[in-house]
Amino acid sequence: RFQELVRQLQGSPAYEDRIPKLFYRGYAHAVDYAVRSPGDRSLPVLHRLGPTTWTRLPRTRLALISALHPEDVDAAVQGPLGAAKGSPSDGGSRPGPAARQCEASETGVVGTSGLEELARLGKVYEVNTSVLPQSHAQYKFVFYESRGVCKAWFWHLGSTVLKQQAPVLAYGDEGLLAGHHYIPVAEDLGDLVAAVRHGQLQDPKLYETVARQGQSWAQEALGPGVAFAYLHSLVQGIAELSAPVAGDS
């Protein structure tokens, strides 16, 4: 049923009629890998969602960027159980002192997990709408978190995918080419707003071409038959590794 809905939404609305913003909805993990600055080759480190770490976690950082740049990014997170309540809004609130402090120093806010501040800004929601394709299809740009599960339907919808760069690959990522199937953004999202504005103002035709090429790639590389073949080869490989070696007793 979900795949049928995605198929119905392909190319609708037309790319030129979509909202020229980046859209994202996702769950704010209580524990996640902290983003690293460009050039940082250290191993990714897990952090809890806490007072001094929330701006370093990719999803809550993205929501904060949205609060600071509502004209470019529409992003919100669903908090863990017991998180602050709120609902996404399109720029109805101005970033408060805590958000401005994070923008300036990125040291976090003492005494808050960050979700309270995001909720005050309308960037925390309760109902999990993170996988509704009809919401994503209304926007020209969508955000792909590289450490998340591969969301092939992002490409099927025909929006331009802005993909976070990271050293790990999800299933299906291997055939993707930066600048051809997606627009790359830094792991720490430092160039995200600039990338969105480039698609809005400087080279919208390039971004539309990337969206079309990404959609064609998804239709060819991520169809049901390809997924079945992948699972079949995976099971075969596990069977071969599990098979007894000749001479073993």
Side-chain angles (χ1 to χ4, degrees):
R1 184 177 179 181
F2 181 84
Q3 294 299 330
E4 180 59 31
L5 177 59
V6 171
R7 282 192 290 270
Q8 292 173 3
L9 289 168
Q10 288 182 21
S12 178
Y15 189 86
E16 60 270 18
D17 296 328
R18 301 186 185 197
I19 300 168
K21 289 184 181 182
L22 180 108
F23 183 79
Y24 180 81
R25 295 291 185 272
Y27 190 81
H29 296 299
V31 178
D32 204 350
Y33 284 101
V35 297
R36 298 169 302 171
S37 302
D40 185 349
R41 301 298 180 186
S42 62
L43 292 175
V45 178
L46 280 171
H47 282 303
R48 287 191 175 277
L49 184 64
T52 60
T53 58
W54 70 277
T55 60
R56 298 192 62 200
L57 305 185
R59 298 184 179 191
T60 44
R61 172 174 286 206
L62 179 62
L64 176 59
I65 290 172
S66 178
L68 296 167
H69 302 280
E71 69 281 5
D72 303 306
V73 181
D74 182 352
V77 294
Q78 182 186 16
L81 292 176
K85 297 180 179 179
S87 59
S89 63
D90 281 328
S93 304
R94 292 178 56 81
R100 291 195 294 270
Q101 176 187 341
C102 291
E103 183 183 41
S105 65
E106 305 214 343
T107 58
V109 181
V110 176
T112 173
S113 70
L115 289 172
E116 292 86 352
E117 176 71 4
L118 292 176
R120 192 184 68 76
L121 298 171
K123 294 302 176 183
V124 177
Y125 64 100
E126 291 185 90
V127 180
N128 189 353
T129 58
S130 61
V131 294
L132 292 180
Q134 55 265 48
S135 299
H136 292 74
Q138 302 303 312
Y139 291 78
K140 285 188 176 181
F141 318 123
V142 295
F143 176 74
Y144 179 96
E145 183 188 3
S146 288
R147 292 192 180 99
V149 177
C150 179
K151 295 182 174 65
W153 56 271
F154 276 20
W155 279 271
H156 280 291
L157 292 177
S159 297
T160 306
V161 176
L162 275 66
K163 182 177 182 294
Q164 178 195 29
Q165 297 301 281
V168 295
L169 293 175
Y171 161 65
D173 282 3
E174 296 88 348
L176 289 168
L177 298 176
H180 187 79
H181 300 123
Y182 67 90
I183 301 298
V185 295
E187 184 180 349
D188 67 353
L189 310 184
D191 58 356
L192 178 71
V193 173
V196 172
R197 291 177 180 173
H198 191 82
Q200 291 170 331
L201 304 171
Q202 294 171 279
D203 206 343
K205 286 296 182 184
L206 169 65
Y207 278 51
E208 184 174 1
T209 299
V210 168
R212 187 168 57 252
Q213 292 169 166
Q215 188 177 45
S216 297
W217 167 81
Q219 291 168 348
E220 295 173 5
L222 295 174
V226 176
F228 178 80
Y230 170 80
L231 291 173
H232 182 263
S233 64
L234 181 64
V235 172
Q236 273 193 321
I238 293 174
E240 291 172 2
L241 290 172
S242 305
V245 178
D248 286 353
S249 55

